[in-house]
Amino acid sequence: MDRIINTVNAYISLSEQEKKYLQDAITKKVFHKNEIIFSEGRVSNEIYFVNQGCVRLFYNVDGKDKTAFFYTTGQYICAGESFTFNIPATENYQAINQTEIFVLTKPKIEKLLQQVPKMEIIARIATENELITCQKLIACFITKSPEERYLDLLNTQGELFQQVPQQYIASYLGVSPETLSRIKKRILDKSRS
């Protein structure tokens, strides 16, 4: 529980009573490797916090999985459009490895906001962070080559390469696994020169 409380405390100060309200609102769930956490077609009623592990966001495009993002320890996850507008989601979330998630349901969030109104700030910050991440991702695909995107991922989230299967990283970068292998080889050859 400390990780989520520390994340909140980075933005707003919580009293001991407010921390207790937050703890009471949270349910802990553990997902096994490759287990689906949330699937498209459902209406999202939950916000997740990754306490430990790695989660893959993917879309089903013509029967093929297309990886869009990886969430790691300390990040919030929400099928935002579905959660906000009460419509079926188009995204899927999958545990890459054994993953521990804290879950906040809509009814518990509403109760928590009545008890601790300043928690509204966290929802805004989580939304802003998601928007910034999306903007960076779009800009990366528009302005950078697959090799540059690979290097960015390596420099900013290098731990993913130890946790995530190669085909998911390739899909995230928008290349085939074979192209990813060639990119890795080129970078390795450059570093040896």
Side-chain angles (χ1 to χ4, degrees), residues 66-85:
K66 300 283 186 175
T67 301
F69 197 73
F70 300 103
Y71 296 89
T72 54
T73 300
Q75 291 184 299
Y76 291 92
I77 302 172
C78 181
E81 186 178 26
S82 176
F83 185 88
T84 303
F85 298 113

Side-chain angles (χ1 to χ4, degrees), residues 84-179:
T84 303
F85 298 113
N86 209 35
I87 59 173
T90 57
E91 58 265 73
N92 302 276
Y93 297 102
Q94 178 185 35
I96 293 291
N97 46 29
Q98 176 127 338
T99 301
E100 183 180 275
I101 290 178
F102 293 145
V103 181
L104 291 144
T105 63
K106 263 188 188 178
K108 288 192 176 184
I109 291 170
E110 288 166 7
K111 182 178 178 185
L112 180 62
L113 289 174
Q114 289 173 355
Q115 296 167 325
V116 189
K118 63 185 172 183
M119 286 295 292
E120 187 72 39
I121 291 170
I122 297 305
R124 183 178 54 80
I125 289 166
T127 303
E128 288 172 356
N129 286 342
E130 191 73 10
L131 178 61
I132 290 165
T133 298
C134 289
Q135 288 174 329
K136 285 181 179 177
L137 189 60
I138 291 166
C140 189
F141 268 87
I142 291 171
T143 63
K144 296 184 179 181
S145 69
E147 188 168 318
E148 289 170 321
R149 292 195 304 270
Y150 171 83
L151 287 169
D152 280 351
L153 187 63
L154 190 60
N155 291 328
T156 60
Q157 291 184 286
E159 74 281 356
L160 288 177
F161 291 91
Q162 308 305 315
Q163 302 177 53
V164 177
Q166 177 127 323
Q167 76 263 22
Y168 296 157
I169 296 214
S171 175
Y172 173 74
L173 294 172
V175 299
S176 69
E178 296 77 20
T179 299

Side-chain angles (χ1 to χ4, degrees), residues 1 4 22-31 37 42 45-51 77 100-106 108-109:
M1 236 12 113
I4 193 167
L22 177 59
Q23 289 174 336
D24 291 345
I26 293 170
T27 303
K28 182 176 90 170
K29 288 188 180 178
V30 175
F31 293 88
I37 297 165
R42 290 180 42 209
N45 189 37
E46 300 172 329
I47 291 176
Y48 309 108
F49 176 83
V50 182
N51 191 49
I77 302 172
E100 183 180 275
I101 290 178
F102 293 145
V103 181
L104 291 144
T105 63
K106 263 188 188 178
K108 288 192 176 184
I109 291 170

